[in-house]
Amino acid sequence: MPSDRINGLAAVLDAVRTGSQVTQPMLVERVGLGRSVVAQRVAELESAGLIEGAGLGPSSGGRAPRRLRLRAERGQVLGVDIAATELVVGLADLGGTLLATRQHPIDVADGPEAVLSLAERLADELIGAHAAPIWAVGVGVPGPVEFRSGLPVVPPIMPGWNRYPIRDRFSARYGAPVWVDNDVNVMALGELRSDPEAVAAGHMLYVRAGVGIGAAIVMDGRLYRGANGSAGDIGHVAIPEGGNTICRCGNLGCLEAVAGGTALAREGRMLAETGQSPALAAALAASGAIRPIDVTQAATQGDQAARALLQRTSALLGGTLATLVSFYNPALLVLGGGIVRAKEHVLATIQEAIHRRALPLATQNLRIDVATLPEELSGVTGAVHLALDEVFSPANLETWLAEGSPRVSGAGTHAAR
């Protein structure tokens, strides 16, 4: 267990790196430590090269206090967001500001060797253009992750990934500590670090509805992962409307099997082939396939069959979310993923289902809205903050503070420069 000194250092560092124009008197109020103790911790962090003075703050009658800032340029963090059909890699400074990103279409079912080799190539391009060393790596994947080990565990849409050592592979290559989590958890982290209202809510459900469906649970401003890391995996709960529809996980009647992106594309294709949707029939003739975005675009064009399909899908999702709202009683429910593109066609139906079926007390002050970050940035932003939160946590800070950085000496093809 970290000492009081390390806990104090981590608390001061966290307040500086997440605050704006923080002064030493502000730190006394925010971290709950005495003035002399805060002064000692600030001096130690300055000596370690993690924070520095940044001018003077406003005076309250006496000597103007010093502002403090994180030396964000000392190192960089690599974020890797692996989705079912797209890969996003980003490079950020130690404050979490994205410096550059790369995107590339993928099929996660191609397996870890193909996908991770591409991720490494994109990451190397980013690293080659920036001089600071990599301090940490955060990775999000579209399946259940045992958080302590960083291993994917029987992920339904990721054949060949079961217990693949993602952490070991990236750590050996980049000579830095690595954390791996479920993609919905990292998207929720991205929202927490980008939306002040998410921070103020404290208790939040983040629901990603796209090719897959999953939820992240935020309690008192922190992710709740459960005993092993699988909390929030709502895509594979059985619902009455699921019937005998076979899910990719092998079970019958899962929410994802009837309300996920694959189901939406399947039903959209049926509407196209039967002539019920002229817009989807045109999309099928043009490309030979129907994607979830084709359904959204058809609905936006006024296609009634596509609109009805989106409403049925969102009603199914809303029914399950009503149960979660009654069970957890969040202050904020955020919808992310591909469903955001269909906001105008689905949000009202989801809200109606939740308010109709959830307990009145649970919805009394509930706010329901879509994610503030664009889908292509939410995962990579969250992956960066996953790495930052962990590398600066008391337990990890204690292991590397004396060395000056969390770099693994001599490890990887991108060792410290």
Side-chain angles (χ1 to χ4, degrees):
M1 180 177 293
S3 65
D4 289 343
R5 168 181 156 271
I6 290 294
N7 284 327
L9 286 167
V12 170
L13 181 58
D14 186 65
V16 172
R17 73 184 183 88
T18 59
S20 175
Q21 299 187 339
V22 176
T23 64
Q24 201 157 304
M26 291 178 185
L27 290 175
V28 174
E29 296 180 9
R30 294 184 186 183
V31 303
L33 297 173
R35 188 173 302 175
S36 63
V37 175
V38 167
Q40 291 171 9
R41 302 299 174 253
V42 166
E44 190 170 351
L45 290 169
E46 285 187 296
S47 178
L50 292 174
I51 65 175
E52 65 181 3
L56 298 177
S59 171
S60 58
R63 187 169 58 184
R66 277 198 317 149
R67 289 193 174 108
L68 298 166
R69 64 175 288 270
L70 176 72
R71 292 188 61 197
E73 68 282 357
R74 274 202 62 198
Q76 294 174 345
V77 176
L78 188 63
V80 180
D81 176 31
I82 301 170
T85 59
E86 187 174 45
L87 170 69
V88 184
V89 178
L91 196 64
D93 64 21
L94 297 184
T97 300
L98 283 173
L99 305 173
T101 61
R102 294 284 190 276
Q103 295 175 241
H104 203 284
I106 60 166
D107 182 349
V108 76
D110 287 342
E113 187 58 42
V115 174
L116 297 182
S117 293
L118 174 59
E120 290 165 347
R121 179 169 63 80
L122 298 179
D124 292 349
E125 291 174 4
L126 294 175
I127 294 169
H130 297 81
I134 299 298
W135 275 33
V137 182
V139 184
V141 299
V145 174
E146 184 181 65
F147 188 69
R148 286 187 297 273
S149 66
L151 297 173
V153 179
V154 197
I157 67 169
M158 302 172 68
W161 290 78
N162 183 42
R163 307 197 72 81
Y164 186 88
I166 300 171
R167 172 185 289 174
D168 293 345
R169 176 170 176 152
F170 279 126
S171 182
R173 184 175 183 85
Y174 297 108
V178 179
W179 286 272
V180 185
D181 204 350
N182 172 266
D183 61 346
V184 189
N185 281 345
V186 299
M187 293 174 81
L189 274 179
E191 192 72 13
L192 276 173
R193 299 298 181 265
S194 306
D195 183 6
E197 292 193 18
V199 176
H203 295 75
M204 177 180 80
L205 276 176
Y206 186 102
V207 177
R208 181 185 190 184
V211 174
I213 298 175
I217 304 168
V218 175
M219 301 175 65
D220 292 321
R222 299 179 64 87
L223 274 174
Y224 174 76
R225 295 184 174 91
N228 298 315
S230 66
D233 195 355
I234 63 170
H236 301 287
V237 299
I239 64 172
E241 299 88 346
N244 293 320
T245 305
I246 300 175
C247 183
R248 289 176 294 182
C249 72
N251 290 322
L252 299 177
C254 295
L255 173 65
E256 186 177 298
V258 293
T262 301
L264 192 64
R266 180 185 67 239
E267 295 299 314
R269 186 180 184 105
M270 184 274 292
L271 293 175
E273 292 176 341
T274 58
Q276 297 178 64
S277 168
L280 289 175
L284 180 61
S287 67
I290 293 293
R291 304 164 298 165
I293 193 172
D294 294 324
V295 179
T296 300
Q297 290 174 344
T300 301
Q301 295 167 9
D303 188 282
Q304 294 303 309
R307 287 185 174 182
L309 174 56
L310 285 175
Q311 289 178 346
R312 289 197 303 273
T313 300
S314 54
L316 292 173
L317 180 59
T320 297
L321 295 185
T323 301
L324 295 182
V325 166
S326 292
F327 177 76
Y328 176 52
N329 187 200
L332 174 64
L333 170 62
V334 177
L335 300 173
I339 197 171
V340 173
R341 293 191 293 264
K343 173 183 176 179
E344 64 178 293
H345 305 293
V346 304
L347 186 57
T349 301
I350 291 173
Q351 290 173 327
E352 190 277 331
I354 291 172
H355 283 278
R356 175 168 48 85
R357 298 183 60 170
L359 293 172
L361 184 59
T363 59
Q364 182 173 286
N365 299 309
L366 176 66
R367 186 167 69 87
I368 305 171
D369 210 342
V370 298
T372 57
L373 281 174
E375 184 183 6
E376 66 273 13
L377 292 181
S378 60
V380 73
T381 299
V384 163
H385 284 287
L386 167 68
L388 287 171
D389 287 352
E390 293 296 332
V391 83
F392 289 134
S393 69
N396 290 306
L397 186 65
E398 185 173 39
T399 66
W400 63 261
L401 184 62
E403 301 296 326
S405 89
R407 296 282 311 169
V408 179
S409 179
T413 59
H414 294 277
R417 286 170 269 182

